[in-house]
Amino acid sequence: MTGFTLNTFSGIAPKVYARLLPNDMAQVAQNTKLDSGRIEPLKGNASATVTPVASYSISAATKTLFRYSSAIWIGSNDDLNIVRSPIAEDPHERLYVTGIGGSAGYPRVTSAQVVGNDTYYRLGLPTPASITSVALTPSTSTKVDEEVPVTMSYLYTYVTAYGEEGSNSVPQASNIVEVYSDQTATLTFPAGASGGYNIVSRRLYRTDTSGTYRFVKDVDINTTTTDDSKKESELGEAIPTISYTAPPDEVSADHVDGALQGLVSMPNGILAGFAGQTVCFSEAFQPHAFPNDYKLTMKSDVVAIAPMPSGLLVLTKEKPAVVQGLSPAAMSMQEVDSTHSCVSKRSVVDMGEYVIYASPDGLVMGGERGFQLVTEGILTRDQWQAYVPSSVVGFYWEGHYVGFYSTGSENKGFILDPRGGKNSFVSLDFHATAGFNDLENDILYLVISGSVVKFASGSDLNFVWRTKKFYTPRPINPAVAKVDCDSYSSTPTFKLYADGALKHTQTVANADVFRLPSGYKAKEFEIEISGAVPVNEFCIYESVEEIGG
């Protein structure tokens, strides 16, 4: 070989020895876009005007960014999971939030009316205390000799301002009464629950002759007594919430695994989250209710969950699992025969038909069709460990996985194209701590150095692309080179390395052939191109005739 020409360009694969790389693969590919096959600069990040609501602020410590509307953004230093209401045309436009830190780390709900004021309510409703007493007026009926009394038992539920109804109070034997038609029952309630539940009323139920609890009426939460003289024919629907329970809440002693985390929205109006080894599902279209019968237990602690077309992917500290089902009452779990545990909850990205996440060995693509280590041909395990996988934060962008990592001494990023091809991995020279993928407007927002920007939406970045190590058995001294670009408005820089030493630097102003220095011979050559304009081709040879110009 007396020289070489490159007119197709791909990404990096540090796993492969630099001499053994395919001719069009790189040792360095930074801030570049290679989808077209040539070297193109990645567009920089454009500034974005984002004003967080109320007490929130965006800083270098921000871990969560969420766009509620064009005027309302949520930022947090906690790792939050925020989902919109699964209820179609929800009049309250609710948001459901998990992951809030501190001693009050319970799941929360907010709405259009209060989110701008940084107001949240505790998600779910507590089990009410039993009814204090039931008294009859008059205490003695005049119908004793004429009628058979009706046995009545009462219970009630809490109802929020959003119309959410919780589980019921426990009926007490002392409050079962025998009622004649000329008597009215007077019920006394205990004090209402405290703790920011947004409760506005109690919903009273009583048994009919079949023993079914049926609706009597709603009672304002501040009312301590109420009367009931309804006939059985006037009773309403049977109580629908007997199985309802609040989601796990770390401030409650009975939830040993802590509060619900990792909230995601699934098809058919189901929300899912996890606490410790337990995966929890809400009642369909009742996102405040997480019945105990709908819970599944994993073999190890859950790190993250992600929705799939027909179920849920559960990523744990050991083997992953796939949960399938269209109803929360009929979910089935199958452990996956894969050793790829998940080491970073924030690395998990829904890519559509599959999920990508960080494992100890590399980035894993997993889903209903199986699991694959997509960086297997790019990085060794040791090279991947140098990225500190537990620090990886990932985002979806135009079919690509955009990841950021922090080693303590280095904070940078990378782009992976999981759709295959040698151009699948390039590096970024900046780092983001949080982001939000606005699919409606097709914009990936990132938090970089405490500011919100639009990813790849600004002016062209300066890229660096460095070839493999080309080796020739016969020592040579390349004499000429050429770099072909569509435009030289931003002049690219050409660097030639021979046997590891920099031999020449050239600012390229046009497509003309330029000369290289003489006085040496070498066997191993590398070329580095940097700049902010697309590069179609470049070459080096021992003579002008070999270039053809």
Side-chain angles (χ1 to χ4, degrees):
M1 182 187 77
T2 59
F4 59 86
T5 297
L6 285 184
N7 51 27
T8 60
F9 305 92
S10 302
I12 62 174
K15 178 178 181 178
V16 181
Y17 177 53
R19 281 192 191 179
L20 300 179
L21 285 167
N23 287 353
D24 59 355
M25 290 198 75
Q27 294 183 77
V28 177
Q30 179 176 278
N31 296 347
T32 183
K33 187 178 179 182
L34 303 168
D35 294 13
S36 66
R38 67 175 181 170
I39 303 175
E40 295 179 351
L42 182 70
K43 289 189 176 298
N45 302 311
S47 61
T49 302
V50 172
T51 304
V53 300
S55 62
Y56 285 125
S57 63
I58 305 297
S59 70
T62 296
K63 293 181 180 178
T64 301
L65 182 70
F66 186 86
R67 179 183 181 271
Y68 181 76
S69 67
S70 59
I72 299 177
W73 286 78
I74 297 171
S76 176
N77 292 352
D78 290 318
D79 175 21
L80 306 183
N81 285 89
I82 306 175
V83 300
R84 297 185 186 274
S85 173
I87 301 170
E89 299 180 5
D90 180 2
H92 304 290
E93 299 180 32
R94 279 166 285 184
L95 286 183
Y96 297 88
V97 185
T98 61
I100 297 172
S103 60
Y106 45 79
R108 304 186 183 196
V109 59
T110 187
S111 66
Q113 293 89 340
V114 295
V115 64
N117 299 323
D118 191 21
T119 300
Y120 291 82
Y121 300 105
R122 186 173 293 182
L123 179 60
L125 287 161
T127 299
S130 298
I131 292 172
T132 304
S133 65
V134 181
L136 297 178
T137 305
S139 59
T140 302
S141 171
T142 62
K143 304 286 187 178
V144 172
D145 297 328
E146 303 173 18
E147 297 178 357
V148 176
V150 177
T151 302
M152 295 183 183
S153 175
Y154 290 88
L155 55 76
Y156 70 100
T157 62
Y158 287 133
V159 180
T160 71
Y162 303 135
E164 302 162 329
E165 184 178 4
S167 61
N168 55 274
S169 63
V170 178
Q172 297 293 317
S174 60
N175 291 333
I176 297 175
V177 290
E178 301 288 332
V179 184
Y180 292 89
S181 62
D182 64 340
Q183 291 180 305
T184 297
T186 300
L187 297 91
T188 302
F189 297 107
S194 60
Y197 287 104
N198 196 25
I199 297 169
V200 297
S201 63
R202 296 178 175 93
R203 186 159 291 169
L204 182 63
Y205 294 89
R206 133 185 147 207
T207 52
D208 60 16
T209 52
S210 70
T212 301
Y213 285 94
R214 295 172 60 188
F215 173 72
V216 178
K217 61 180 175 179
D218 285 329
V219 182
D220 187 275
I221 191 64
N222 296 313
T223 300
T224 58
T225 62
T226 191
D227 293 334
D228 171 34
S229 59
K230 280 188 175 182
K231 298 177 181 179
E232 182 166 316
S233 60
E234 296 174 320
L235 297 178
E237 67 172 352
I239 182 171
T241 62
I242 287 179
S243 66
Y244 288 9
T245 57
D249 182 338
E250 69 178 14
V251 300
S252 300
D254 58 334
H255 295 133
V256 295
D257 288 328
L260 191 75
Q261 302 289 324
L263 198 67
V264 298
S265 185
M266 298 175 62
N268 298 328
I270 304 168
L271 296 189
F274 64 89
Q277 295 177 234
T278 304
V279 179
C280 310
F281 299 93
S282 77
E283 188 71 58
F285 303 106
Q286 300 291 337
H288 66 287
F290 286 75
N292 289 325
D293 290 343
Y294 298 171
K295 295 178 179 178
L296 298 175
T297 302
M298 305 295 121
K299 290 183 177 179
S300 61
D301 284 346
V302 180
V303 177
I305 56 177
M308 296 189 301
S310 63
L312 191 73
L313 180 63
V314 182
L315 303 171
T316 76
K317 292 182 178 180
E318 296 180 2
K319 291 185 176 182
V322 173
V323 177
Q324 292 183 312
L326 300 178
S327 165
M331 294 292 181
S332 62
M333 179 187 68
Q334 179 66 49
E335 187 177 76
V336 178
D337 188 15
S338 168
T339 59
H340 299 309
S341 62
C342 180
V343 295
S344 170
K345 173 178 173 290
R346 301 180 69 212
S347 73
V348 180
V349 176
D350 181 357
M351 304 294 292
E353 293 185 358
Y354 53 89
V355 169
I356 290 181
Y357 66 93
S359 79
D361 299 316
L363 286 174
V364 177
M365 181 170 64
E368 296 172 346
R369 298 183 180 180
F371 287 72
Q372 176 188 356
L373 190 64
V374 289
T375 53
E376 185 173 17
I378 298 171
L379 299 163
T380 65
R381 188 185 190 281
D382 288 343
Q383 289 167 339
W384 171 247
Q385 283 291 317
Y387 284 80
V388 187
S390 61
S391 74
V392 173
V393 182
F395 305 96
Y396 175 88
W397 174 71
E398 302 294 343
H400 297 72
Y401 181 97
V402 181
F404 299 95
Y405 63 93
S406 177
T407 67
S409 60
E410 179 179 79
N411 300 313
K412 291 186 178 180
F414 57 84
I415 302 176
L416 171 73
D417 185 350
R419 295 168 293 187
K422 294 178 293 184
N423 62 342
S424 61
F425 199 83
V426 300
S427 61
L428 301 173
D429 65 355
F430 56 89
H431 178 262
T433 61
F436 175 74
N437 199 331
D438 183 358
L439 296 178
E440 180 181 355
N441 297 303
D442 196 23
I443 298 172
L444 172 59
Y445 292 91
L446 296 176
V447 178
I448 297 177
S449 300
S451 298
V452 179
V453 299
K454 299 177 183 178
F455 178 68
S457 299
S459 56
D460 292 337
L461 291 173
N462 282 314
F463 67 81
V464 179
W465 195 93
R466 187 166 181 168
T467 67
K468 63 174 283 186
K469 292 182 177 181
F470 286 93
Y471 178 79
T472 174
R474 175 177 65 85
I476 64 171
N477 184 179
V480 289
K482 179 181 178 180
V483 178
D484 176 52
C485 302
D486 289 347
S487 167
Y488 298 87
S489 56
S490 175
T491 53
T493 299
F494 170 99
K495 291 183 178 181
L496 173 65
Y497 293 83
D499 289 343
L502 178 63
K503 292 296 185 180
H504 184 65
T505 300
Q506 178 86 23
T507 300
V508 182
N510 51 51
D512 294 344
V513 174
F514 54 88
R515 293 198 172 275
L516 301 173
S518 59
Y520 74 94
K521 286 191 176 183
K523 291 184 176 182
E524 191 175 79
F525 297 91
E526 305 160 71
I527 293 176
E528 183 177 285
I529 300 288
S530 59
V533 293
V535 176
N536 302 318
E537 179 182 282
F538 59 80
C539 59
I540 62 169
Y541 284 97
E542 285 186 290
S543 67
V544 174
E545 290 76 16
E546 290 177 296
I547 289 181

